[in-house]
Amino acid sequence: MKARRQSVILETIQRQRVGSQEQLRRLLRAAGFDVTQATLSRDIRELGLVKGGADRAYQPPAAAATNGNPSALLNRAVGEYLTRVDRVQQLVILRTGPGQAPLLGVALDGARLPELVGTIAGDDTILAIAPDARRARVLVRRLERLSRP
Amino acid sequence: MKARRQSVILETIQRQRVGSQEQLRRLLRAAGFDVTQATLSRDIRELGLVKGGADRAYQPPAAAATNGNPSALLNRAVGEYLTRVDRVQQLVILRTGPGQAPLLGVALDGARLPELVGTIAGDDTILAIAPDARRARVLVRRLERLSRP
DNA sequence: CACGCGACTGTATAAATATTCTTTTTCGAC
DNA sequence: GTCGAAAAAGAATATTTATACAGTCGCGTG
């Protein structure tokens, strides 16, 4: 349950201003996830979300992680979620556990890798698109290096 | 008082992990600023600080603001603080109200302007260094445009 | 099967933060 | 100076968030 719920949280805070965990709780309940505020507090920490700014809303972690190591987030996400990598021409297929694909997708997008044009995340699969086959190979190598340092 | 205090807040959260407004209050008191938690809550909002991430600490706004408009923060800071701009060769001298220079300095650094090598902020003056005189002129023009659109 | 272990969650509550309502301070016009 | 308006800050309090503790579930092992 957790991975799916966290994915929905990520999408939710990007679609609208979420100013409290109670509000988030109501939104999630409408989406079929009925959990307590305590659980959301834990989810928010695990996702690395950040609260503040002019409107005191929750924000995605990508920006915040940019501080120290730019790809620390990607690093963590790859280690945590990625289970398999394949390549077909300039396309790279990434596999994760169920519901985890969006989490890894966000991390990939946020890392702004030069050899990555964009991603489409399903439930447990991500299609990552490189400019050409050569750079797709570079991407595969980079991911493999990240997944076992 | 406020501008100076907010500058110190910015420096403080960059030097060490600050996990609560009470902790920040104690740190500021050691630095000669004796204010209540309510005031800090307001300062934090005005600075656009953000709290969260793995260690639930306060973080500077630059990263968070990168989301929407990259230079929205600079825009605001220039409008709010900048009072005068001069140029000498490749150096640009910016003036602000007392204690406000560090705030504008942080915004300038965060904006990563191509014609700006770096800044040194005093209390009410910033020395901004461009690669050469031509680009210093570009910088001056950009700042003037920002200060009265 | 019984046990222990680890991940996950809820409940209750402590801790932290935001806000409302006042008071104080600042500053410009007179 | 004195007045009034606006900014700044405090006190008290409401709201929000984190956490200690306990319970459940799934799973692998003796």
Side-chain angles (χ1 to χ4, degrees):
Chain A
M1 208 78 217
K2 195 167 69 150
R4 283 171 206 278
R5 185 182 62 237
Q6 293 187 348
S7 298
V8 175
I9 291 175
L10 233 34
E11 287 167 25
T12 303
I13 64 161
Q14 261 154 352
R15 237 199 339 276
Q16 68 189 277
R17 195 204 98 105
V18 178
S20 80
Q21 298 178 3
E22 257 313 296
Q23 182 190 352
L24 182 58
R25 197 168 81 85
R26 284 191 295 274
L27 292 169
L28 287 179
R29 195 166 37 189
F33 296 91
D34 200 346
V35 293
T36 59
Q37 171 267 325
T39 297
L40 295 183
S41 173
R42 291 170 193 129
D43 284 345
I44 282 167
R45 179 188 339 231
E46 284 167 28
L47 289 169
L49 296 192
V50 123
K51 186 188 184 190
D55 63 351
R56 309 228 209 230
Y58 283 101
Q59 298 172 27
T66 306
N67 270 353
N69 181 346
S71 62
L73 184 72
L74 176 62
N75 209 314
R76 217 181 105 250
V78 166
E80 187 103 352
Y81 304 127
L82 187 64
T83 59
R84 205 150 79 82
V85 183
D86 289 298
R87 184 183 64 85
V88 182
Q89 307 282 7
Q90 87 280 24
L91 306 177
V92 179
I93 317 297
L94 311 177
R95 302 299 310 268
T96 69
Q100 299 176 347
L103 299 172
L104 180 54
V106 167
L108 276 169
D109 291 339
R112 316 204 157 244
L113 302 178
E115 66 268 23
L116 180 58
V117 176
T119 67
I120 304 173
D123 183 66
D124 63 356
T125 304
I126 296 175
L127 175 63
I129 303 169
D132 52 49
R134 181 182 65 76
R135 276 171 285 188
R137 266 193 298 272
V138 171
L139 179 57
V140 170
R141 241 175 289 128
R142 184 200 293 268
L143 291 171
E144 284 174 344
R145 224 174 323 113
L146 278 180
S147 65
R148 28 173 181 56
Chain B
M1 207 77 211
K2 196 167 69 151
R4 283 169 207 277
R5 185 182 63 238
Q6 293 187 347
S7 298
V8 175
I9 290 175
L10 234 36
E11 287 167 26
T12 303
I13 64 162
Q14 261 154 352
R15 236 199 341 275
Q16 68 189 278
R17 195 205 98 106
V18 178
S20 80
Q21 297 178 2
E22 257 312 297
Q23 183 190 352
L24 182 58
R25 198 168 81 84
R26 283 191 295 274
L27 292 169
L28 288 179
R29 196 167 34 191
F33 298 90
D34 200 346
V35 293
T36 59
Q37 172 266 326
T39 297
L40 294 183
S41 173
R42 293 186 273 248
D43 283 344
I44 283 167
R45 162 150 39 197
E46 284 168 27
L47 288 169
L49 295 191
V50 122
K51 186 189 184 187
D55 64 352
R56 307 228 212 232
Y58 283 102
Q59 298 172 27
T66 306
N67 271 354
N69 180 345
S71 62
L73 184 71
L74 176 61
N75 209 314
R76 218 182 102 250
V78 167
E80 188 102 353
Y81 304 126
L82 187 64
T83 60
R84 204 151 80 81
V85 183
D86 289 297
R87 183 182 66 85
V88 180
Q89 306 283 4
Q90 87 279 23
L91 305 178
V92 179
I93 317 297
L94 311 177
R95 303 299 309 268
T96 70
Q100 299 177 345
L103 299 172
L104 181 53
V106 167
L108 276 169
D109 291 340
R112 315 204 160 245
L113 303 178
E115 66 269 23
L116 180 59
V117 176
T119 67
I120 304 173
D123 182 66
D124 62 358
T125 304
I126 296 175
L127 175 63
I129 303 169
D132 52 47
R134 182 182 66 74
R135 275 172 283 187
R137 265 193 298 272
V138 171
L139 178 57
V140 170
R141 241 176 288 128
R142 185 201 294 268
L143 291 171
E144 284 173 344
R145 224 175 320 114
L146 278 180
S147 64
R148 28 171 180 60

